[in-house]
């Protein structure tokens, strides 16, 4: 239909597609420069133990402060990096900078476990494992201090199982990210060498209003525990969500309620107790289903 309609329909759709393509090209050009000049920065968001509220580690989330466009979300530039073959350089920079930071914290007397996100294309790279080993050695870090987060949809791909096996062979931990946004395939989950499952906030945003949402999350946590996985609720924003998730025996929380992603220097203050803390109260037990 678009073809027969000819010029007029092109006039409607073509410019925005052009603009999008142009924007992508511009972003990939700027991103290339940003990676070379080390203009990216890792922010860290705390994960806390559900019962005590104590920090258990932090997730490294890459930030790009573009000279003219301001802060650009990784949800925008990671796909650009993947499309234009920049993810390898970006990804190795992230892994190495996270390791450098863990070492800096160790030298300050802070044992911080750090989680790093890995995309599909990174998992496919032959030199991934050697590069990780090299970074661990260079910064003299025990592998157990490092976790890699892989989204559920990537982890379930047939051909990633071997890569995940090789990764866990290094001694690092694996975590399944964004669980509940794809297939929620517990049978397949059994085969993965993961220790942690992160349930996506979309599953519990309305958990205080929806009995269905509560039942689904309840079942998920029980299944995960039956498989020996620890459960992290990611994107906890309200005390009510926190209380309900705690009543469902969720193990750890991560979300704006506790702390937003922040520069490394702020995270160390936070971890040393000088930042904001949100001690858990036990009203939660009232909601025990
Ligand atoms: P993700 O790994 O699922 O990370 C969690 C995202 O949820 C982060 O978004 C975080 O800021 C956000 N978040 C945390 N708590 C809350 C909350 O309470 N409410 C809401 N609304 N959001 C919350 P961010 O930093 O924008 O990252 C988006 C995605 O980009 C990440 O999702 C991850 O898939 C990807 N990403 C980020 N850094 C890297 C990286 O270094 N490498 C790769 N491959 N991907 C990365
Ligand atoms: Mg993640
Ligand atoms: Mg996630
Ligand atoms: Mg995500």
């Amino acid at each position: 239909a678009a073809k027969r309609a000819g010029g007029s329909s092109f006039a409607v759709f073509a410019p925005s597609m052009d603009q999008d393509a142009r924007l992508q090209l511009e972003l990939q050009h700027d991103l290339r420069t940003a990676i070379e000049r080390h203009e990216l920065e890792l922010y860290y968001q705390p994960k806390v133990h559900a019962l005590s509220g104590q920090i258990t580690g932090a997730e490294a989330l890459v930030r790009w402060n573009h000279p003219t466009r301001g802060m650009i979300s990784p949800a925008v530039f990671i796909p650009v990096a993947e499309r234009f073959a920049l993810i390898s350089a970006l990804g190795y920079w992230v892994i190495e900078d996270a390791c450098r930071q863990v070492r800096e914290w160790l030298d300050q007397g802070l044992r911080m476990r750090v989680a790093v996100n890995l995309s599909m294309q990174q998992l496919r790279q032959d030199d991934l494992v050697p590069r990780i080993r090299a970074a661990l050695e260079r910064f003299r870090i025990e592998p157990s201090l490092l976790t890699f987060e892989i989204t559920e949809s990537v982890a379930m791909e047939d051909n990633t199982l071997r890569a995940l096996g090789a990764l866990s062979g290094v001694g690092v931990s694996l975590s399944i990210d964004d669980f509940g946004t794809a297939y929620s395939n517990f049978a397949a989950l059994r085969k993965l060498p993961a220790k942690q499952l992160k349930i996506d906030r979309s599953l519990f945003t309305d958990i205080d209003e929806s009995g269905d949402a509560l039942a689904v999350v309840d079942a998920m946590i029980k299944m995960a525990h039956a498989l020996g996985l620890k459960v992290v609720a990611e994107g906890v924003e309200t005390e009510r969500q926190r209380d309900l998730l705690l009543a469902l025996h969720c193990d750890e929380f991560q979300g704006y309620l506790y702390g937003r992603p922040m520069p490394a220097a702020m995270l160390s203050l936070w971890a040393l107790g000088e930042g904001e803390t949100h001690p858990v109260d036990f009203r939660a037990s009232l909601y025990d289903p």
Side-chain angles (χ1 to χ4, degrees):
K3 260 185 202 157
R4 272 204 289 144
S8 62
S9 68
F10 269 86
V12 175
F13 296 109
S16 76
M17 284 171 68
D18 265 9
Q19 272 172 11
D20 189 50
R22 214 176 299 136
L23 176 64
Q24 294 241 330
L25 276 175
E26 196 186 310
L27 284 182
Q28 70 92 20
H29 171 268
D30 294 355
L31 186 55
R32 201 175 293 274
T33 320
I35 296 167
E36 281 163 9
R37 296 186 187 161
H38 302 292
E39 287 171 1
L40 302 175
E41 184 179 358
L42 290 183
Y43 272 34
Y44 292 87
Q45 185 180 31
K47 294 182 187 180
V48 303
H49 184 238
L51 278 169
S52 67
Q54 283 193 330
I55 187 163
T56 56
E59 178 174 7
L61 294 157
V62 65
R63 293 292 179 261
W64 181 17
N65 196 351
H66 188 282
T68 57
R69 294 181 188 279
M71 276 290 188
I72 302 179
S73 166
V76 171
F77 70 81
I78 295 287
V80 172
E82 297 223 290
R83 184 161 163 212
F84 294 95
L86 294 170
I87 192 68
S88 171
L90 190 158
Y92 289 136
W93 177 81
V94 168
I95 291 167
E96 277 148 29
D97 203 57
C99 288
R100 184 196 56 73
Q101 187 60 60
V102 169
R103 167 44 57 197
E104 194 178 310
W105 278 326
L106 283 172
D107 291 343
Q108 294 168 9
L110 193 61
R111 259 180 80 84
M112 185 71 69
R113 305 181 61 114
V114 165
V116 168
N117 292 284
L118 282 185
S119 73
M120 170 73 115
Q121 288 184 37
Q122 290 179 272
L123 263 186
R124 287 196 179 138
Q125 266 149 6
D126 289 336
D127 57 348
L128 178 67
V129 164
R131 290 287 289 257
I132 291 170
R133 281 191 203 279
L136 290 170
E137 264 170 47
R138 176 173 166 208
F139 295 103
R140 291 169 292 117
I141 294 168
E142 302 151 47
S144 61
L145 285 177
L146 208 56
T147 297
F148 286 100
E149 297 191 1
I150 294 117
T151 62
E152 181 195 359
S153 49
V154 169
M156 299 301 174
E157 293 269 322
D158 289 337
N159 50 0
T160 49
L161 197 58
R162 248 194 39 219
L164 294 181
L167 254 187
S168 77
V170 176
V172 297
S173 298
L174 296 187
S175 173
I176 307 301
D177 206 350
D178 299 349
F179 195 78
T181 60
Y183 332 99
S184 309
N185 187 338
F186 277 96
L189 201 58
R190 270 179 48 216
K191 297 180 200 143
L192 302 179
K195 286 187 183 151
Q196 187 180 79
L197 191 73
K198 298 183 81 174
I199 51 175
D200 192 74
R201 60 186 292 271
S202 59
L203 290 167
F204 58 79
T205 21
D206 62 346
I207 195 171
D208 55 338
E209 292 147 24
S210 157
D212 285 351
L214 191 79
V216 167
V217 174
D218 185 23
M220 272 192 173
I221 294 175
K222 285 188 172 120
M223 290 269 250
H225 283 164
L227 294 176
L229 295 159
K230 295 281 186 205
V231 180
V232 181
E234 177 178 61
V236 180
E237 292 184 348
T238 67
E239 294 187 358
R240 180 83 179 137
Q241 287 169 353
R242 190 262 321 269
D243 290 349
L244 288 168
L245 289 161
L246 186 61
L248 299 177
H249 306 293
C250 192
D251 302 286
E252 291 178 37
F253 298 135
Q254 180 182 346
Y256 294 171
L257 177 64
Y258 292 92
R260 295 195 173 234
M262 58 186 101
M266 264 175 77
L267 188 90
S268 18
L269 291 181
W270 201 96
L272 295 170
E274 291 169 39
E276 260 184 278
T277 50
H278 298 267
V280 169
D281 65 45
F282 290 87
R283 275 174 309 156
S285 55
L286 295 176
Y287 307 114
D288 211 335

